[in-house]
Amino acid sequence: LTPPLNQAISQQQDVKIYYHNARNERTERVVTPLFLAGRGTFTYLEAFCHLRQENRQFRLDRMQFLGST
């Protein structure tokens, strides 16, 4: 998961993901990855979410990478 995200960050490329929230609800999203950051025991992706039209944080363990757009 991390190598494709690192490439998308460096190339400022949108990616498509499935994201599972805390209630295990899955949404498909297109995001523009900005950077990865560790917090506690989790790694987060900071990205612009095109669905919500704002910067959001996504836990990597709740993401499924579907590919670049």
Side-chain angles (χ1 to χ4, degrees), residues 5-69:
L5 288 177
N6 285 332
Q7 180 179 349
I9 291 167
S10 67
Q11 295 178 358
Q12 299 179 347
Q13 185 176 32
D14 293 346
V15 296
K16 188 180 289 187
I17 63 169
Y18 282 137
Y19 190 70
H20 296 264
N21 65 17
R23 294 182 300 260
N24 205 30
E25 299 166 333
R26 184 179 81 169
T27 55
E28 184 176 308
R29 299 167 186 245
V30 174
V31 300
T32 305
L34 303 172
F35 60 88
L36 295 168
R39 195 167 8 139
T41 58
F42 299 108
T43 301
Y44 289 83
L45 171 67
E46 178 82 21
F48 179 80
C49 176
H50 294 268
L51 177 67
R52 303 287 186 229
Q53 290 295 300
E54 64 184 4
N55 283 4
R56 305 285 289 235
Q57 294 178 346
F58 301 96
R59 271 181 37 184
L60 288 193
D61 64 319
R62 293 182 176 171
M63 284 178 53
Q64 180 182 356
F65 181 77
L66 300 176
S68 300
T69 61

